[in-house]
Amino acid sequence: FYLTPPQVNSILKANEYSFKVPEFDGKNVSSVLGFDSNQLPANAPIEDRRSAATCLQTRGMLLGVFDGHAGCACAQAVSERLFYYIAVSLLPHETLLEIENAVESGRALLPILQWHKHPNDYFSKEASKLYFNSLRTYWQELIDLNSGETTDVKEALINAFKRLDNDISLEAQVGDPNSFLNYLVLRVAFSGATACVAHVDGVDLHIANTGDSRAMLGVQEEDGSWSAVNLSYDHNAQNEHEVERVKTEHPKSEEKSLVKQDRLLGLLMPFRAFGDVKFKWSIELQKRVVESGPDQLNDNEYTKFIPPNYHTPPYLTAEPEVIHHRLRPQDKFLVLATDGLWETMHRQDVARIVGEYLTGVHHQQPIAVGGYKVTLGQMHGLLTERRAKISSVFEDQNAATHLIRHAVGNNEFGTVDHERLSKMLSLPEELARMYRDDITIIVVQFNSHVIGACQNED
């Protein structure tokens, strides 16, 4: 049925969130101006998640998108927990000691992260104690392992991803006396999630990617045109290196069964993911956990079946591929998005649409009337005319919303067709998933002046 433009807007804007970095905080001016984020569900409930936070004890900002499969439980857990693991991995030894001593003596903890959350971004209160205990064990180990060296960001990201995945697996094996929590940790472990995370600190941008969400840099060329630079690689059957990697990790006898119909063991699209213990645990362990688990788990067909040709697990890893990029003044923005966006749009179009949106909004110079006497009526006319031009092109206050509008409503000419948008957004739940996936986008805008100044200092 037909949706009016205001109805379309209310659907598109329901999950939008924007954050502007405070202009000046007394110590350093950030290389990030701010970010816009948004998500549009296709699944009910949505299986994508997003996170953004400022690291309070180290410098830098963390942003990430998480794409869940076989339910949203794993994506939810990773969106809540991964940034804590990264922040702890980056902390200096003294700070870790301070935090541990505070817990020991029951004092208030130093806050590690300042979250930037939309009201719809849910955090599970029930599991917070369990999650905290796992995290604490991790930082205690980091204290014991202290080598006195400063942590390399790339290494910290890899360790955090692997450790969280390991904890998800362990918590499910140990179980919990509380039946609700027991079922929760099992749902987290048996579902899965990909993750694409950015850490921005000054001119250093690190992207850690596990799976098939993507990071892309929007670059403004000297002639003002826009180009896209990929900062991640998809971990799926389209990536030859990834197929090769999987093959080298298993015996030659399995070569034919490892990747079938472009899926891992014929079942899973991403070749790296959190959770998904069906592709990581031995058959004995899977059976033991499912049999001793709550009844709801036994009723779930997914947990019972064993993937075909399952001989030498693990077949799947959560280890991310990390890419480092030094920001330059021409690097204007970063787009992190789940595959729901990239299935519908080419990165070059994404770069152009966001670039034109950001500069279009920022190119509004004050109207110069060059010394002429202008009546209020004429001035009003000029402003009204300008406003009409802007509102027709950029009715969105949020770059991520603007991108979703194009992803869902673009026609063959590359312009948004309201009728198409209306049709796509009014599809019933069971049909929506056939036409598109959940879409989650974060657009990070960089501060070219700060980046230029940092470059000059170097």
Side-chain angles (χ1 to χ4, degrees):
F1 63 109
Y2 191 75
L3 300 174
T4 63
Q7 287 171 320
V8 164
N9 281 346
S10 71
I11 294 171
L12 288 179
K13 292 169 190 273
N15 298 310
E16 68 180 10
Y17 177 84
S18 291
F19 174 74
K20 295 278 170 277
V21 173
E23 283 292 303
F24 187 71
D25 58 3
K27 31 181 210 294
N28 56 350
V29 182
S30 174
S31 55
V32 174
L33 283 170
F35 69 85
D36 288 340
S37 84
N38 199 351
Q39 43 184 191
L40 182 69
N43 293 297
I46 186 169
E47 293 184 345
D48 279 7
R49 294 292 184 272
R50 58 181 165 178
S51 295
T54 302
C55 299
L56 295 171
Q57 306 303 327
T58 54
R59 298 186 17 224
M61 194 170 203
L62 285 164
L63 306 110
V65 294
F66 311 95
D67 187 348
H69 45 263
C72 60
C74 187
Q76 177 62 42
V78 174
S79 73
E80 289 181 41
R81 303 177 70 181
L82 181 58
F83 287 6
Y84 282 114
Y85 280 71
I86 294 170
V88 163
S89 308
L90 288 167
L91 288 177
H93 186 244
E94 307 74 68
T95 314
L96 287 174
L97 278 173
E98 271 178 62
I99 291 174
E100 177 56 26
N101 291 336
V103 177
E104 275 287 296
S105 57
R107 291 198 317 276
L109 281 191
L110 283 171
I112 303 177
L113 296 172
Q114 177 195 354
W115 290 93
H116 309 298
K117 293 207 305 257
H118 185 281
N120 295 357
D121 296 341
Y122 159 82
F123 261 41
S124 61
K125 300 272 183 290
E126 305 83 7
S128 56
K129 193 168 185 225
L130 169 79
Y131 291 171
F132 178 80
N133 290 339
S134 294
L135 182 68
R136 184 181 178 188
T137 305
Y138 178 41
W139 81 55
Q140 287 170 336
E141 283 174 32
L142 289 174
I143 290 171
D144 295 343
L145 287 169
N146 172 39
S147 54
E149 293 161 26
T150 52
T151 322
D152 172 61
V153 177
K154 179 176 179 175
E155 206 179 316
L157 288 163
I158 292 172
N159 292 343
F161 272 64
K162 285 163 73 174
R163 177 58 183 237
L164 173 57
D165 192 54
N166 195 44
D167 283 354
I168 286 171
S169 172
L170 271 176
E171 288 157 3
Q173 290 171 50
V174 173
D176 196 284
N178 170 333
S179 61
F180 174 82
L181 271 182
N182 195 22
Y183 186 44
L184 176 81
V185 294
L186 289 163
R187 275 184 33 229
V188 168
F190 277 95
S191 58
T194 67
C196 187
V197 170
H199 179 265
V200 195
D201 178 8
V203 291
D204 290 304
L205 169 62
H206 285 86
I207 301 290
N209 183 52
T210 287
D212 51 10
S213 291
R214 269 185 219 168
M216 181 215 89
L217 197 61
V219 181
Q220 190 164 29
E221 305 298 344
E222 282 183 4
D223 64 358
S225 66
W226 293 96
S227 64
V229 177
N230 263 358
L231 289 181
S232 66
Y233 300 102
D234 294 355
H235 300 134
N236 56 23
Q238 273 58 60
N239 179 340
E240 287 167 25
H241 296 292
E242 199 57 15
V243 175
E244 236 4 84
R245 176 188 67 78
V246 172
K247 286 182 177 170
T248 56
E249 289 173 5
H250 298 276
K252 201 111 180 86
S253 56
E254 292 186 59
E255 204 165 331
K256 290 207 159 47
S257 58
L258 278 171
V259 179
K260 284 187 142 171
Q261 280 133 6
D262 282 354
R263 290 168 182 255
L264 190 62
L265 298 182
L267 298 168
L268 198 62
M269 291 280 271
F271 284 17
R272 302 189 195 195
F274 283 90
D276 282 321
V277 291
K278 304 243 29 123
F279 297 85
K280 292 171 182 171
W281 288 356
S282 69
I283 293 176
E284 298 74 53
L285 179 57
Q286 291 190 38
K287 284 189 171 148
R288 182 173 69 74
V289 170
V290 172
E291 279 160 18
S292 64
D295 295 341
Q296 300 108 299
L297 203 65
N298 282 313
D299 304 340
N300 183 336
E301 285 307 304
Y302 178 71
T303 51
K304 278 195 192 150
F305 93 101
I306 301 293
N309 304 300
Y310 198 77
H311 308 296
T312 53
Y315 288 92
L316 189 66
T317 176
E319 180 169 335
E321 193 171 1
V322 178
I323 290 178
H324 172 247
H325 175 82
R326 275 185 76 78
L327 291 170
R328 310 155 300 170
Q330 62 265 43
D331 300 332
K332 300 297 182 189
F333 60 88
L334 171 74
V335 176
L336 298 171
T338 53
D339 62 349
L341 174 70
W342 310 111
E343 282 165 5
T344 59
M345 287 184 90
H346 189 272
R347 61 174 185 268
Q348 204 44 59
D349 295 327
V350 171
R352 181 183 54 75
I353 286 166
V354 176
E356 286 176 2
Y357 169 84
L358 293 174
T359 47
V361 168
H362 295 147
H363 273 178
Q364 295 177 28
Q365 301 305 333
I367 289 187
V369 288
Y372 296 107
K373 285 192 174 139
V374 177
T375 65
L376 275 176
Q378 289 167 314
M379 192 66 179
H380 183 253
L382 283 168
L383 286 167
T384 314
E385 187 184 327
R386 183 169 91 165
R387 195 155 152 209
K389 267 189 197 152
I390 291 160
S391 63
S392 63
V393 188
F394 302 128
E395 52 208 357
D396 300 312
Q397 302 302 307
N398 178 304
T401 308
H402 189 65
L403 205 44
I404 289 175
R405 189 182 296 277
H406 278 269
V408 179
N410 261 4
N411 58 18
E412 59 275 32
F413 307 114
T415 56
V416 177
D417 175 349
H418 179 77
E419 201 165 314
R420 180 183 163 79
L421 199 53
S422 168
K423 275 184 191 153
M424 290 295 279
L425 293 179
S426 60
L427 288 170
E429 279 166 9
E430 60 279 9
L431 275 181
R433 188 62 193 84
M434 294 163 68
Y435 287 90
R436 59 178 178 82
D437 198 355
D438 297 330
I439 300 175
T440 298
I441 302 172
I442 300 177
V443 179
V444 186
Q445 205 181 339
F446 295 122
N447 189 335
S448 305
H449 300 302
V450 171
I451 292 166
C454 293
Q455 268 194 337
N456 296 337
E457 281 170 27
D458 294 349

